[in-house]
Amino acid sequence: MSDVLERRVLEPDPGMIKGLGVHHTMESAVADLIDNSVDAGADRVLVRFDTEGVQPVGLHVADNGRGMDGHQVDEAMRLGRQRDYGARDQGHFGIGLKAASFSHADTITVRTTPAGGERHGRRLRRGDVQRDYSCEVLDPTTLHPEALLSRVGGVTGTIVSWSDTRFPRTGGAGLGNWVEDTRTRLSQHLGLVYHRLIAAGRLRIDIDIYDRDLGRAGIPESVAAVDPLGFAVSAVPGYPRTLVAHVGGDRIPLRCHVVPPKAGGPNYRLYGRDGADFQGFYVYRHDRLLQAGGWNDVVTADRARALARVVLDDFAALAPHVRLNPEKKGIVFSHDLHGAITRAVDEADHRTTFADYLSRTETVLADSRKRQHKRRPMAEPAKGLHEDVRRVIKAEVPLRTEEEPVQIRWDAMAPGRFFELDRETRTIYLNKKYRSVLTGGATGLSDAPLLKTLMFLLTEDHFKGQQWGPRDKDLLEVWDAVLGAAVQAELNYRSTRR
């Protein structure tokens, strides 16, 4: 006898949208949008911040993918829409576009152009969605996607735009810093998440800032691949080594790496943080990194295991034994998977276990510390030096944080001078007479990154202490004379080569 009287269909309350996307960071939200671009076959994506004055007021993600027809864009705007995902698709839950966008904005606009040239536009407003989940259909003649699509070399493609954003609006120079800092964090995150696609030439991501007051965008900066396993050599012969975990009927390979003890740079110090924070599992799905480090309760994190990084690359075998959250930044392993990993063994020798691997990483690190030396502190770099260079410097060497940072600028100065140092303002000045020659004409706040980096490394120690002695002043004069002669020789060389 059944205890069921009847079955009722209870429609979800549109108010559920209030909690949509609350766990998204800016980085995970933009990555979720780019996942849709990758699924649409895009190989170029532009992320653009809009500013008015110093205020960040909007964001766009434009791609050169296939675009969508009217039915497809309607379905894309539907909450929880479960389309038929392809074997290589990154989409999973049907809420990525909405959750990612509403995490930072109250209005989402989608403009899309499929093959054939027709245009479609849709807009979701948080207030409408919370009331009745209505979607605005936009007049195709008002869409004008060409400007952004041209920046990604696209005739077809899709543009997702955020407006009525909840970006910080505290005023002052700090807002300009917020945009730059956010761009830096975003570049680091996207370079890590999509490093395989970027390195293989299958995806290019540019980030720029559009000044609405001036009506133009700054020079776009391309996201560089950050491979967390991209080390030239292994710390131990025979590694990386593949162990295999068996759970149910699934065979799950674990590619176990031992990071070189002296590793540094963005590949090890992800996001500029201590590389030991990123020990653990690196989980990929279709070459997209889902998890960067963490042991998922298989073992505990320990500073002694700083060199241990394990790649789980077969997501098809892994999927039945894990749960992935909608933001794609948290994976829960099943109890059976925990046990299978601890029992994993190298099938080549049938001896090396997961515990042996962890023990080996600990031994390598302990041995390296016996012969390690401390690096000399360096002045903190500030504006003028490219953000990627600043990030590596901060990751590689300790900084003299008791001092103000050192910046680099172009300025007018006497003929024959190449550079000057101003201790009071802690600025390295370069003669702007040579700027166009040394930058190739592409100027900007972070232009001439190689030259500026070399000048910073050459002179940063002269900002230490209270004053220069006669030897310091003489050395600076020598450097200036030599560099002045070098740049003049460069000018002469280029003129004779024309």
Side-chain angles (χ1 to χ4, degrees), residues 83-124:
R83 64 177 170 85
D84 293 329
Y85 293 105
R88 303 291 300 177
D89 283 354
Q90 300 295 348
H92 194 68
F93 294 99
I95 63 172
L97 168 64
K98 286 74 66 175
S101 300
F102 279 134
S103 67
H104 288 86
D106 289 334
T107 302
I108 315 166
T109 302
V110 175
R111 294 173 285 164
T112 187
T113 303
E118 72 268 27
R119 302 172 182 173
H120 304 279
R122 302 290 187 270
R123 180 176 292 131
L124 291 178

Side-chain angles (χ1 to χ4, degrees), residues 406-427:
V406 173
Q407 59 185 326
I408 305 180
R409 293 186 176 183
W410 298 95
D411 197 10
M413 58 185 68
R417 303 284 299 184
F418 183 76
F419 77 97
E420 294 176 355
L421 303 187
D422 187 327
R423 285 177 60 88
E424 185 175 341
T425 63
R426 299 184 66 78
T427 303

